Amino acid sequence: MFPYDGPMTTGLYPASLPRRAWALAVRWALAWWRIIDLGAVVLVLLLSPSSYRPAARERLARRMLADTAPILLGFTALAALLSLVITHIVVVTALSYGLTRYALEMVIRVLVLELIPLTAALFVAMRTTIPSGVQLARLRQTGRLQALRERGADPVRMELLPRVLAGVHASITLAALSCAVALVMAYLGVYGFNTAGLPAYTRMFGQVFTPSITLVFALKTLLFSLAVALIPMASGLYPPHPGAAQDQTGQGGLARMFAVLLLIEAVSLMGNYY
Amino acid sequence: MNEPLPSPAPEELLRPVAHLRLKAAALLLLTLALIVGSALYLLYARGAFEPTQPLVLTTDDSEGVSVGMDMTFSGFPIGRVRRIELAGDGNVRILVDVAQRDAHWLRESSVFTLVRGLVGGTAIKAYSGVLTDPPLAAGAERPVLRGDATAEIPQLMATARQLLDNLQQLTAQESALGATLAQVRQLSERMNAPGGALGVLMGNEADARKVLQTLERTNQLLARIDAMAARADRQVFGAAGAPGLVPELRAAVVQMNGLLQDARQSLLRVDAVLAEAQAVGANAREATTDLGALRAQVEASLRKVDGLVNEINRKWPFARETELQLP
């Protein structure tokens, strides 16, 4: 069932450097190709109405609830604390330099635009999607996926799609909620418990979120959620490449996910500030 | 690898969640509400729901002006820049959306400035001096005055450098100020020395001594004048023994008064004499009138006497021949 013979023999004879480099490149390309391929498949399934039939909806709802609800409160509290502390630090520092006019804008830019979406994505990855990927890998290893396939069902639709959708949903919900909480906390940290600064705060918020920055922010959040939901699943669904003995725990998938997050963040920064 | 008894996945053991559909729907709704709410708040913050009126500001340099920046009135944002465009004449047209509820602050006489500070961005400010002027019409075009704090820095630096140069010249070792200070020190030393300020004023010590002598002699003179004044006082107002000048003067005045009285009486008498003299004069005048007649009579008598004499002379035999006889 599992082709273990080939790699065992190559492991016995140390390969030459070009051969090893080639094997590495093939592994690397294959892994990325699987992610892209799975992404396309998932997107097609997301857009097709048959994925939302009652039976699938049931699975989806359960998965979504299980993935989002437990971490929602905890992460919201964490985001509130984080934004309160950062707001306080920035405002106090700005006060000592006489730059309080720019402090709030900086807080919103740093917190809401950059820090919170990334933190939310990482949090979802650690609490939800990486465990889901591991689950999927275990299902594959125990032969359940194969069994599904033999019964004529599509394991991608049965097991993977609900997990990906739940991950995307968790990531977006957490990002949106924590951004709202961060906005409220930043306001409270600067103005305290009154509504006197609300017009100025709203105006400043409007000035920070220009259409282009809003678009970049929305795209970034969406791509973060997709990356976080999809990449651990891809490494869980497919068997590790025969040549990579250390890839069994999904470390390669994790590294790829971080690389994609970093890339999205870098592109969004370039889009915002260049 | 081939496990004979595949252990079921952990989620297979979970019991069905109560009200799963409801909870899932609530969660989805929460996400949707968050996203829609954020979008609405963003639209509100960017002024999408606020009626505005356009205002066009023209300037020759739009540096620092960005789309979305505020236009303030008394520090309150009342409008935001919607567009910046280059006009046909090379000027910059800044299109500002002014919120209609704040538009009444802008009047026909309002002035707009574009101020660039040292720290922070450019600010567009509106000033309305006369709030009773007619309100600014929608779409009005106004020039904007530019004030640039950074443009004055080079000029300021040049002036400051000049000032520092002058200061350096002033405080140099051989400067006029240094020499003056040295002389002032010399002066103060001389002032502290015996002779002091007087010596400084007179130049040398001999003259200073002369001044001192003059002062002493003036002092003596003053003492003598004092004594003289006392003596004069005594003489004028009298002392214990001898009556002074003033009492004598007073007696003389009393006597003078008596004399004047006498003189007045004498004058009265003279007055009477004069009246009599007047009467005499009158009489004399009358007498003079009679004298005229008398004189006429005397003249007539004389003329008669003269005629008589002439007669006698003619008749008188030994009268002298008065006529010359021609042969």
Side-chain angles (χ1 to χ4, degrees), chain A residues 203, chain B residues 43-44 47-52 78 80 98-102:
Chain A
R203 205 171 179 87
Chain B
L43 285 177
Y44 169 72
F49 305 127
E50 200 171 50
T52 59
I78 61 169
R80 64 182 98 214
V98 181
Q100 258 173 21
R101 64 187 155 92
D102 291 322

Side-chain angles (χ1 to χ4, degrees), chain B residues 52-228:
Chain B
T52 59
Q53 74 173 46
L55 165 71
V56 182
L57 300 176
T58 56
T59 178
D60 55 348
D61 186 3
S62 71
E63 196 186 328
V65 182
S66 58
V67 172
M69 69 180 281
D70 282 335
M71 182 177 82
T72 59
F73 175 82
S74 303
F76 283 83
I78 61 169
R80 64 182 98 214
V81 174
R82 180 164 46 92
R83 239 174 93 189
I84 308 167
E85 59 187 22
L86 204 55
D89 56 354
N91 276 337
V92 179
R93 284 163 57 88
I94 304 170
L95 276 70
V96 181
D97 280 340
V98 181
Q100 258 173 21
R101 64 187 155 92
D102 291 322
H104 65 278
W105 294 115
L106 300 181
R107 301 285 162 168
E108 285 288 335
S109 60
S110 288
V111 175
F112 301 91
T113 61
L114 187 65
V115 183
R116 191 159 44 213
L118 286 177
V119 179
T122 308
I124 299 178
K125 297 178 180 173
Y127 298 95
S128 293
V130 189
L131 283 174
T132 50
D133 275 357
L136 196 65
E141 193 168 327
R142 287 283 182 277
V144 59
L145 308 170
R146 276 201 312 127
D148 192 348
T150 52
E152 289 178 8
I153 287 181
Q155 200 187 344
L156 197 69
M157 287 301 293
T159 316
R161 186 172 300 152
Q162 210 173 355
L163 184 71
L164 284 175
D165 283 347
N166 287 348
L167 207 61
Q168 206 168 13
Q169 281 177 13
L170 216 62
T171 53
Q173 196 69 32
E174 289 90 22
S175 67
L177 187 67
T180 311
L181 281 175
Q183 285 180 4
V184 166
R185 187 162 54 194
Q186 224 173 351
L187 192 69
S188 58
E189 277 170 4
R190 278 181 67 185
M191 278 175 131
N192 281 335
L198 205 57
V200 171
L201 272 181
M202 302 316 297
N204 56 35
E205 203 150 327
D207 282 353
R209 205 169 295 134
K210 267 187 209 163
V211 169
L212 280 178
Q213 283 173 358
T214 313
L215 271 175
E216 275 166 18
R217 287 175 62 184
T218 310
N219 236 355
Q220 289 169 0
L221 194 64
L222 278 174
R224 284 170 63 187
I225 286 173
D226 207 26
M228 273 169 68

Side-chain angles (χ1 to χ4, degrees), chain A residues 54 58 61-62 64-65 68 72 102 139 142 144 163 169 172-173 176-177 201-203 205-207 209-211 214, chain B residues 6 9 11-12 17 20-21 23-24 27-28 30-31 34-35 41-42 44-46 68 70 77 79-80 119-121:
Chain A
E58 181 81 22
R62 200 177 52 195
M64 226 147 80
L65 204 61
T68 309
L72 202 57
Y102 311 102
L139 288 181
T142 55
R144 262 187 62 88
R163 287 179 166 81
H169 175 257
I172 289 177
T173 307
L177 188 64
Y201 187 72
T202 301
R203 205 171 179 87
F205 177 77
Q207 277 177 353
F209 279 82
T210 59
T214 311
Chain B
E11 72 268 14
E12 295 292 317
V17 183
L20 175 66
R21 285 291 172 81
K23 285 178 183 170
L27 203 59
L28 268 179
L30 172 73
T31 310
L34 275 172
I35 293 169
Y41 179 59
L42 180 60
Y44 169 72
R46 290 194 62 80
D70 282 335
R80 64 182 98 214
V119 179

Side-chain angles (χ1 to χ4, degrees), chain A residues 10 15 44 53 60 71 83 89 120 125-126 130 161 200 208 264:
Chain A
T10 52
V44 169
R53 286 197 186 122
L60 199 61
I71 58 173
S83 40
I89 290 171
M126 276 192 282
I130 292 174
L161 187 64
V208 170
I264 295 169

